[in-house]
Amino acid sequence: MVPSMSMGNRKDQLMGKLDLLILRILSSGDSMHGYAIAERIEQFSENVLQVGEGSLYPALHRIEEAGWIRSSWAPSDNNRRARFYRITAAGRRQLAHEETEWLRAADAITRVLRLA
Amino acid sequence: MGFVRRFVNVFRPGRLERDFDDELEFHRQMRLRQAHSQGLDSVEAEQATKRRMGNQSVAREEMRDARVAGWLASSLQDLRHGAVLLRRDPGTSALIVLVLALGIGGNAAIFTLLKTAYLDPLPYREAGRLVTINEITGWIPNVSEYLEIRARARTLEQIAFAEHLDMQLTGNGEPARVFAARVTASFFPVLGARAALGRTFLAEDNQPGRSPSVILSDAFWRSRAGADPGVIGRTLRLDGQPAVVVGVLPPGFQFDYPTLRIPEPVDIYVSYPLDRTGPLGASSNGRGVPVRVIARLRAGVTIREAQSDIRRVARELTREHPEAFPNPQHDPSLFTFVTLPLRDAIVGTQRSLLWLLLAGSGILLLIACANTAQLLLARSLRRAREIAIRSALGASRLRLIRQFLLEGIVLAACGGAAGLLAARWIVRILVALLPVRSPLLATAHVDARAIGFTLAISLLSALIFAIVPAVKGSRWEPGPSLTSRIATGEGNRWRHAMIAIEAALSVFLLCGAGLVVQNLWTLLSTPMGFDPVHVLAMRLKLPARHEDSIDRKAGEVFQGYLDKIAAIPGVESAATVTGPPLRPARGGNAELVGVTDQTGALKSIISWNHLVSADYFRTLRIPLLAGRTLRRDDAGRGVTVAVVNEEFARRFGLGADVVGKQIDEGPGEAPTTIVGMVGNVRTRGLDTDPFPEVYLSHLQLAWGNTYLVVRSPLPAGQLLKQVKAAIASANSEQPVFGVETMDEMISDSVAEPRFEVFLIGAFALLAVAMAAAGMYSVISCLVSQRTSEIAIRMALGAGRGDIVRTVLGTTTAWVVVGLAGGLGLGLAARTTIRSLADIAVAGSAWMYGTLVLFFFVVTLVAAYAPMRRASRLDPAAALRCE
């Protein structure tokens, strides 16, 4: 609704696919809190993708509203109350769907880039 | 699911915010820990974390958006804003709520009544299968016909009848008159009623020759039997006969609907001895005992199937008994049975009354909506600045419209809530005012369905009255609204249109009111044929002991009372009559000896027969037109004498020469000689044409049930006391009941038209008042909008007349358009109104002229104050203010 939300973070250009990344991370089946999810994304992308809280948490809440993940409050390893997210069956279906879409698109883009 | 949670989240923002904070704080702590583990000190770690995390409020906002139904949250905001604005202008808001409460409350009340009449279950088991059976002519079948229907009908599961009559209860204490119903044993099973104490009737209770059994109503049991459970088995004396109490009914049971011609609550039920089976077809000449037939349809039988089945029974009867039903062509308009669902029979003529009420209150609500729209429109124009600022800050037009609609809904909700409270009272008042006692409508109550209806019409009216102000008010142009004065003239066309609509609707209601007023006026100014002033009437039923012992001498007993009453100082005259004007009378066929119709048979007409004492015509001042009236010495005559009315003579094609003719009493009976002719009296009601009547001497024939009429200028209470004392001195066991002045009887007889006048008149006046208020507000608004224009015109030399013409010109045109429209509607709907209100008069041009004039006067009154302000304007002062 308000256009200036990305705070000028260039890496947020990729964040359109943040939903996909979150679902992929959670698809291992573990339940994780937001910080762990962000860390995991950074790790796997070898620090190319840095996830800001300003994007991560709204995304988590949106995805939960969509019914793809579910959350619950539990004590974390440092004994603080944390919100843990876990993927749902609907989330796995969505992941599969988005994954194919993304791979197909990425494949197509790669081909175009090669030819050009 | 998600939506519900989002909806719920709207109402618990605090908890949600706490959750967000906790989650973000956790994230911060983790970052800090990481920074520490990378070897940064506390301050550096703190700074690094802050850099990473940036502004958390934006994240929180987005989380909130994800979690909360956005439109709803902003609606709540608008609602709050609306409520604040309404509070800021409490006068207008209160006025709007009041007007809406009246409109909505009225409709909710009428809906409640309609719901009771048509939707709520009747207090009988499976009442949907209950029907009543009547004869097409409006007569009620007699017992023989009842037995035929019972034997022949195939669609009825069970059939019962009830016959209502006054009875005399003697035994312990003062003789009392009770209102009784004699019923078959099937009566209670048909209605699904059980006894609270003892039992209901068994088939053998109806066996002829047995002494009757009695079942007491709950009210009678409590008031007269002291709620004594030991009453079962006790013997009462009813009309001098012993009768055993076998049961007491539960408190909820009642079957006494005046619309079914059961005039008052039934005190006791008596078993009917099924031996008095008069001849078939006797009911149609009024000599049989009329009974009310109710039946329960077999499961799955429709009313249509039942109707054709019962019609078949009627056809069989006319075929097999041509002597009883002279109807060789089987013309159903002469004789057939009509089967009507019990509910329809009970609602009866009140149906049209309810629809009239609904129409009236609906129109009133529309006018209330138009007025509310006026007020809101005026306010929305005053708020142009606010709207402009909000638009400039990015509020969309839709959001502004929604704001207006929500304000409307807040108003309508307040009006609806107040209306719902009012509805309960309005229902009670209406039921109390109903011209005919209605046990069915008396059970009306505001329930969930009525609340739902109220909610629906509140929302609907909010939409109606808020849509124009919303659309008009949300429009703005960036320049003028903010910088200079409020744009003038905006919305005036809409206002004028609404004035026209209000004028049309209120004139329409006025047309309806005019019709019913003219109807009542016509009824009351029709000559009644007698003089009701200073006449007291009461009912006498000869104590059963006398009725049994002296048989044909009842008239002599009554004559004894009359002599005592006539001796009271101040009494001009007193008389007995079995059927005084406006009260039921016995009817029968009458033929004159030697007067035949075209076919050569004796010409037969139906007439009412009354037994009267000699002074009856003098007491009611009914003029004698020919011959003589009845005399006391008629008692000793060998021939029966009669006085007939003018209409009787006319039906036989005779005039004063009817005197001397003889009424044929059938083979073997001596004819009755007509000795006089009197003027016509409106016996059956003020709205009926004169009917043939025969007056016979109560000294020659006798019925134990009669009315006493006394003419005296004494005050009614004092007179009654003396009359009672006089009667008691002649017969201490004679009860007197049903005391009324003749004026009261007449006023009772026009209770229904009067009720219509009262209601429709009230609706019309309220409507006119609202329309006047609407016109006042519009004209005031116009004047204040055009103050500077008026001032300039005056400064340039315009006279007061010019100013009035300028300001009022357009408004007048619109009002005239509305008036014409309303008059057109009123004329177009005239037939409908007349049939709904059962009105005979056609509206006269004079009446319509009067109401147009009335409306114009009201318009002038509404316009007076603002016009006065405009014409007294001081141009210099007004222009300086600019």
Side-chain angles (χ1 to χ4, degrees):
Chain A
M1 204 186 284
V2 186
S4 61
M5 277 292 136
S6 63
M7 304 293 290
N9 188 344
R10 275 174 47 243
K11 280 159 190 135
D12 272 1
Q13 286 164 359
L14 282 168
M15 287 305 126
K17 289 297 159 191
L18 184 54
D19 295 7
L20 173 61
L21 297 179
I22 293 172
L23 289 176
R24 181 67 190 81
I25 298 295
L26 286 175
S27 69
S28 66
D30 299 339
S31 64
M32 290 182 209
H33 45 68
Y35 181 78
I37 296 173
E39 229 178 15
R40 207 62 74 83
I41 293 176
E42 285 170 23
Q43 231 171 27
F44 285 164
S45 69
E46 288 158 359
N47 282 333
V48 175
L49 301 175
Q50 291 210 346
V51 186
E53 296 71 33
S55 316
L56 175 67
Y57 286 99
L60 281 170
H61 286 245
R62 209 166 42 239
I63 301 173
E64 188 182 1
E65 281 302 323
W68 298 332
I69 58 175
R70 201 175 293 148
S71 75
S72 57
W73 288 93
S76 75
D77 44 357
N78 68 347
N79 265 335
R80 295 190 67 94
R81 206 168 77 98
R83 192 171 200 156
F84 285 87
Y85 295 90
R86 169 191 289 279
I87 196 164
T88 64
R92 286 185 192 283
R93 280 196 296 278
Q94 176 68 15
L95 173 64
H97 175 71
E98 277 198 39
E99 215 165 16
T100 21
E101 288 280 296
W102 170 257
L103 288 177
R104 192 186 297 156
D107 194 34
I109 291 169
T110 321
R111 271 183 225 185
V112 172
L113 289 179
R114 276 217 196 101
L115 284 174
Chain B
M1 185 60 208
F3 177 77
V4 174
R5 194 170 54 236
R6 283 165 69 180
F7 186 84
V8 170
N9 282 341
V10 171
F11 300 100
R12 41 169 222 198
R15 164 129 184 248
L16 218 52
E17 296 291 340
R18 247 192 335 276
D19 277 4
F20 300 158
D21 285 345
D22 283 1
E23 197 168 14
L24 291 172
E25 175 59 21
F26 173 77
H27 196 94
R28 204 177 72 84
Q29 291 293 339
M30 294 301 283
R31 280 242 179 276
L32 273 178
R33 208 166 73 166
Q34 194 201 20
H36 280 300
S37 68
Q38 284 170 355
L40 300 171
D41 65 35
S42 316
V43 181
E44 282 169 333
E46 201 71 60
Q47 279 171 345
T49 305
K50 208 172 231 167
R51 234 181 358 261
R52 271 301 300 262
M53 294 193 55
N55 187 350
Q56 293 183 14
S57 67
V58 172
R60 247 203 316 267
E61 186 70 20
E62 275 200 48
M63 284 153 83
R64 234 176 72 80
D65 273 0
R67 290 292 181 177
V68 171
W71 62 270
L72 195 61
S74 58
S75 295
L76 274 187
Q77 217 177 340
D78 281 356
L79 214 57
R80 260 199 298 274
H81 184 62
V84 167
L85 281 173
L86 295 178
R87 265 213 307 271
R88 200 184 297 158
D89 193 359
T92 315
S93 305
L95 189 70
I96 291 175
V97 168
L98 186 75
V99 166
L100 286 177
L102 258 179
I104 296 174
N107 279 277
I110 312 274
F111 172 81
T112 305
L113 291 180
L114 274 170
K115 168 184 77 71
T116 311
Y118 289 110
L119 297 178
D120 288 349
L122 292 175
Y124 310 109
R125 180 172 61 87
E126 291 179 65
R129 280 161 58 197
L130 294 177
V131 295
T132 62
I133 299 172
N134 275 333
E135 281 181 22
I136 185 84
T137 49
W139 290 98
I140 295 168
N142 69 12
V143 179
S144 314
E145 289 167 9
Y146 157 77
L147 290 173
E148 293 291 345
I149 298 172
R150 188 173 74 169
R152 295 167 189 252
R154 300 187 194 121
T155 51
L156 305 181
E157 182 178 291
Q158 218 169 7
I159 178 167
F161 77 73
E163 168 207 3
H164 296 84
L165 70 169
D166 287 317
M167 292 187 109
Q168 188 106 27
L169 183 68
T170 46
N172 36 359
E174 194 182 340
R177 169 255 183 192
V178 291
F179 190 65
R182 290 206 288 205
V183 300
T184 51
S186 50
F187 180 77
F188 294 104
V190 162
L191 293 178
R194 290 165 189 280
L197 274 179
R199 59 171 174 87
T200 55
F201 295 132
L202 305 173
E204 53 259 38
D205 289 319
N206 293 132
Q207 290 296 315
R210 282 175 58 118
S211 69
S213 306
V214 173
I215 297 175
L216 308 182
S217 73
D218 180 73
F220 186 84
W221 178 59
R222 287 178 196 284
S223 65
R224 306 289 270 279
D228 174 14
V231 75
I232 307 292
R234 203 174 288 168
T235 302
L236 307 175
R237 289 196 81 79
L238 276 178
D239 280 0
Q241 304 280 323
V244 181
V245 177
V246 298
V248 176
L249 289 168
F253 181 83
Q254 56 174 12
F255 193 80
D256 53 301
Y257 302 99
T259 37
L260 294 182
R261 289 192 260 167
I262 307 170
E264 48 192 305
V266 175
D267 296 316
I268 57 171
Y269 286 87
V270 183
S271 61
Y272 190 95
L274 272 175
D275 58 347
R276 306 191 181 186
T277 57
L280 276 174
S283 64
S284 55
N285 60 30
R287 286 189 200 113
V289 179
V291 298
R292 209 157 318 284
V293 177
I294 52 173
R296 176 174 290 280
L297 303 183
R298 284 186 199 284
V301 170
T302 65
I303 184 74
R304 193 184 291 264
E305 289 162 358
Q307 170 71 340
S308 66
D309 181 40
I310 306 296
R311 281 226 173 106
R312 173 186 57 82
V313 174
R315 268 198 311 278
E316 286 179 15
L317 287 180
T318 43
R319 193 167 56 240
E320 293 168 24
H321 303 278
E323 75 293 345
F325 306 99
N327 185 9
Q329 307 302 320
H330 297 294
D331 179 354
S333 72
L334 288 180
F335 172 77
T336 192
F337 294 120
V338 180
T339 316
L340 206 61
L342 181 64
R343 183 188 285 280
D344 290 358
I346 289 176
V347 175
T349 54
Q350 280 165 347
R351 173 204 319 268
S352 50
L353 196 64
L354 289 174
W355 290 114
L356 269 183
L357 282 174
L358 190 68
S361 63
I363 292 175
L364 210 57
L365 181 60
L366 279 180
I367 297 179
C369 284
N371 250 350
T372 308
Q374 295 273 17
L375 291 170
L376 286 183
L377 192 58
R379 192 154 66 179
S380 79
L381 298 179
R382 279 205 300 279
R383 272 164 59 184
R385 257 184 94 79
E386 176 207 327
I387 300 304
I389 290 171
R390 292 190 57 180
S391 308
L393 290 180
S396 67
R397 176 108 192 256
L398 216 59
R399 174 103 193 240
L400 289 175
I401 289 181
R402 192 179 69 183
Q403 159 87 48
F404 277 103
L405 286 182
L406 278 173
E407 281 176 43
I409 287 173
V410 168
L411 282 171
C414 294
L420 204 58
L421 290 178
R424 302 182 48 192
W425 293 101
I426 298 176
V427 164
R428 275 192 217 163
I429 292 171
L430 282 178
V431 169
L433 286 177
L434 275 181
V436 182
R437 187 178 62 89
S438 172
L440 179 66
L441 294 184
T443 63
H445 56 278
V446 176
D447 62 2
R449 257 188 297 209
I451 292 172
F453 175 82
T454 312
L455 201 69
I457 57 167
S458 304
L459 282 180
L460 188 69
S461 47
L463 279 183
I464 294 175
F465 70 67
I467 198 81
V468 170
V471 173
K472 294 301 289 183
S474 62
R475 184 184 298 159
W476 74 291
E477 285 126 50
S481 311
L482 281 174
T483 53
S484 70
R485 297 188 314 106
I486 293 165
T488 59
E490 184 67 359
N492 280 347
R493 201 177 328 129
W494 277 103
R495 290 199 188 155
H496 278 130
M498 276 184 278
I499 282 203
I501 291 171
E502 283 181 43
L505 290 175
S506 48
V507 168
F508 176 57
L509 272 182
L510 271 180
C511 286
L515 270 180
V516 292
V517 168
Q518 202 191 347
N519 178 50
L520 182 66
W521 179 258
T522 312
L523 284 182
L524 288 179
S525 54
T526 312
M528 288 174 285
F530 68 99
D531 176 7
V533 187
H534 296 313
V535 176
L536 188 68
M538 63 202 80
R539 294 179 64 186
L540 295 176
K541 182 173 160 55
L542 207 59
R545 196 162 51 76
H546 293 259
E547 200 174 37
D548 289 345
S549 58
I550 53 179
D551 188 24
R552 296 183 79 90
K553 300 223 166 56
E556 282 172 24
V557 178
F558 290 140
Q559 191 61 53
Y561 304 165
L562 290 177
D563 292 340
K564 298 264 189 194
I565 294 165
I568 299 171
V571 168
E572 286 175 23
S573 63
T576 61
V577 55
T578 48
L582 309 174
R583 286 289 174 268
R586 296 199 191 188
N589 290 11
E591 297 88 25
L592 288 186
V593 175
V595 180
T596 56
D597 58 12
Q598 302 93 321
T599 63
L602 280 183
K603 183 177 168 62
S604 178
I605 64 164
I606 295 178
S607 67
W608 301 118
N609 302 327
H610 312 291
L611 293 191
V612 299
S613 66
D615 280 341
Y616 177 65
F617 303 106
R618 191 158 71 85
T619 308
L620 285 196
R621 299 197 173 141
I622 299 169
L624 178 70
L625 303 177
R628 65 169 176 90
T629 60
L630 299 170
R631 287 199 301 254
R632 291 191 62 169
D633 58 14
D634 289 333
R637 277 171 198 275
V639 287
T640 316
V641 295
V643 169
V644 297
N645 70 348
E646 200 178 359
E647 179 69 13
F648 183 95
R650 200 186 64 79
R651 294 279 176 103
F652 283 105
L654 299 169
D657 51 343
V658 78
V659 175
K661 291 276 189 292
Q662 288 184 315
I663 300 174
D664 190 279
E665 296 292 349
E669 296 278 331
T672 301
T673 306
I674 296 172
V675 296
M677 183 176 82
V678 293
N680 294 330
V681 170
R682 293 188 179 258
T683 309
R684 301 303 285 168
L686 297 177
D687 53 349
T688 55
D689 290 329
F691 203 82
E693 294 183 79
V694 177
Y695 299 93
L696 300 155
S697 168
H698 76 152
L699 295 173
Q700 291 192 315
L701 297 163
W703 291 333
N705 231 333
T706 194
Y707 284 79
L708 177 67
V709 285
V710 182
R711 173 175 294 277
S712 165
L714 295 177
Q718 190 189 337
L719 178 63
L720 177 64
K721 208 179 292 172
Q722 299 201 38
V723 168
K724 276 187 167 170
I727 292 175
S729 73
N731 181 354
S732 62
E733 284 184 29
Q734 176 64 59
V736 165
F737 61 98
V739 182
E740 262 182 311
T741 65
M742 212 72 195
D743 280 330
E744 284 167 350
M745 278 164 115
I746 289 168
S747 121
D748 276 357
S749 77
V750 292
E752 207 148 326
R754 204 179 41 208
F755 184 66
E756 280 159 4
V757 166
F758 165 75
L759 275 177
I760 301 178
F763 279 138
L765 289 182
L766 263 177
V768 171
M770 283 194 198
M775 285 187 288
Y776 170 80
S777 77
V778 168
I779 296 168
S780 302
C781 210
L782 286 178
V783 168
S784 56
Q785 272 177 3
R786 297 171 72 170
T787 304
S788 52
E789 181 203 330
I790 294 169
I792 291 171
R793 279 172 188 268
M794 287 178 111
L796 293 177
R800 280 184 187 165
D802 299 324
I803 297 301
V804 171
R805 259 196 300 285
T806 314
V807 179
L808 271 192
T810 331
T811 312
T812 314
W814 280 96
V815 168
V816 168
V817 166
L819 208 160
L823 203 59
L825 264 178
L827 288 171
R830 191 162 53 164
T831 329
T832 316
I833 297 173
R834 279 173 57 190
S835 69
L836 269 181
D838 196 16
I839 286 176
V841 299
S844 63
W846 183 85
M847 184 271 287
Y848 285 111
T850 310
L851 65 88
V852 166
L853 197 68
F854 171 69
F855 194 79
F856 257 118
V857 169
V858 170
T859 312
L860 285 182
V861 170
Y864 179 74
M867 284 325 297
R868 196 177 131 97
R869 212 170 340 122
S871 61
R872 300 262 165 104
L873 204 68
D874 175 2
L879 287 174
R880 253 200 307 280
C881 278
E882 279 301 304

